[in-house]
Amino acid sequence: MSGAGLIIFLLIIIVLKQFTSILNSKLYVREYKDIIKNNSHGYFGVGTFQPKLGIGQVCLIVIDDQNIIRECRLINGLSIFAKFHQYVPVIDQSTESEAVLNDKHRKVLYQAVQNASNARTKSQRGSS
């Protein structure tokens, strides 16, 4: 491959990477707005898990005042073809239940629950 061909190839890769980043951002914002609109009485948290090698995860979660998970959406994947899906096994479960603590996605769930709990604490401090 000539020098000009290599430069064109690298430019195409950079443009495709930017394009996929924009698509992923739009997907995340759409899911975020949908969860917030449908769960106005809960506390929202986000968890992320990105191993050095392997498939990353993002979790969007809503908990109520009793630490019950009211909404949970996960995305697993390496490409723009990955989509958020509702993660039913933990919905209507306590954040401290065995179903949540021993779940195969426990790392990302834990981080999302912690962030939602922090949001609840901040909200309660602000209303006192």
Side-chain angles (χ1 to χ4, degrees), residues 93-108:
Q93 299 285 329
S94 168
T95 58
E96 297 165 8
S97 72
E98 290 294 317
V100 175
L101 296 175
N102 295 326
D103 191 85
K104 64 182 178 182
H105 303 291
R106 65 185 164 276
K107 290 180 182 177
V108 72

Side-chain angles (χ1 to χ4, degrees), residues 76-110:
N76 301 325
L78 297 170
S79 72
I80 61 167
F81 302 111
K83 302 289 183 202
F84 276 98
H85 64 278
Q86 193 168 40
Y87 191 58
V88 177
V90 298
I91 294 176
D92 294 329
Q93 299 285 329
S94 168
T95 58
E96 297 165 8
S97 72
E98 290 294 317
V100 175
L101 296 175
N102 295 326
D103 191 85
K104 64 182 178 182
H105 303 291
R106 65 185 164 276
K107 290 180 182 177
V108 72
L109 285 169
Y110 176 78

Side-chain angles (χ1 to χ4, degrees), residues 31-50:
E31 291 292 324
Y32 168 80
K33 286 181 179 179
D34 185 50
I35 285 178
I36 296 299
K37 181 178 78 173
N38 294 331
N39 296 282
S40 60
H41 298 294
Y43 302 97
F44 178 76
V46 177
T48 59
F49 177 66
Q50 181 62 50

